[in-house]
Amino acid sequence: MQKITTNTFQITIDERFSIVAKNHEFFTLADNFANFELQTPMLNMALKEIKDLKEFGEEDHYKELLFQYFKGKRANLQLPETMVEQTIADKEALVQVGYSTFENEKGAVKIHHYFINIPLDDEFMLEISVDCEAGNVDTHLSLMWNAIHSLEF
């Protein structure tokens, strides 16, 4: 297991993941050993300002702004309008699951997307996203959820 640390948070993740990008409050991890057609299994975490949600509407309802925000995150994204509340690192998180489908020479490739938002205070939120092909969900989703649940501030 390896520990990935920023100025604000840290996680522990399986050794098969490598750092693709990292700065003070952001990182992207990928499993470069996975078999995939279009989408490398990836985990992104970034500290963001809550005011960034305001460009998606003037709603005062946080969940609705977040839903609109998530809708613009991936191409071809299909999102149900249901968000699940979950506790992560002793904080209330909102989880949105969606998928996208792309065609290649072998046929359709379905990619699962998981968006997690953890409001930290009135100003900041932690944004987490997980992307992996349907064929990798069983393997990678548990590895990524273990990492997410290892989150410490």
Side-chain angles (χ1 to χ4, degrees):
M1 301 298 276
Q2 62 180 317
K3 192 165 282 212
I4 310 294
T5 303
T6 71
N7 291 344
T8 305
F9 58 92
Q10 67 181 13
I11 64 163
T12 303
I13 193 159
D14 191 274
E15 294 287 339
R16 67 188 293 155
F17 287 86
S18 61
I19 297 171
V20 175
K22 183 176 185 280
N23 71 19
H24 304 292
E25 299 300 347
F26 161 85
F27 60 78
T28 298
L29 306 174
D31 180 354
N32 295 318
F33 300 103
N35 293 322
F36 62 91
E37 292 182 51
L38 296 174
Q39 175 66 57
T40 304
M42 299 190 87
L43 171 68
N44 301 288
M45 291 185 151
L47 187 67
K48 302 272 185 139
E49 290 184 274
I50 290 176
K51 72 179 182 180
D52 292 345
L53 297 178
K54 294 297 182 186
E55 70 183 72
F56 296 92
E58 293 302 318
E59 303 272 339
D60 284 333
H61 197 266
Y62 190 80
K63 280 186 181 180
E64 180 56 33
L65 287 173
L66 200 55
F67 178 76
Q68 296 303 322
Y69 176 71
F70 287 153
K71 275 176 54 175
K73 287 293 191 179
R74 303 290 186 273
N76 257 358
L77 184 61
Q78 303 293 311
L79 276 183
E81 291 194 28
T82 306
M83 263 185 226
V84 176
E85 294 181 21
Q86 188 174 38
T87 302
I88 298 174
D90 295 326
K91 298 192 180 296
E92 290 304 312
L94 295 166
V95 180
Q96 178 78 53
V97 179
Y99 69 92
S100 54
T101 304
F102 295 92
E103 294 288 330
N104 70 8
E105 63 278 353
K106 296 178 184 177
V109 177
K110 187 173 185 179
I111 301 172
H112 291 249
H113 308 283
Y114 300 83
F115 302 103
I116 300 129
N117 179 275
I118 304 173
L120 301 177
D121 55 29
D122 291 340
E123 191 175 351
F124 293 101
M125 61 187 179
L126 182 63
E127 180 183 315
I128 304 168
S129 64
V130 173
D131 304 289
C132 64
E133 291 180 3
N136 287 324
V137 167
D138 290 343
T139 301
H140 290 91
L141 201 53
S142 64
L143 292 173
M144 292 184 197
W145 274 110
N146 286 342
I148 291 165
H149 283 288
S150 75
L151 180 67
E152 296 177 26
F153 293 96

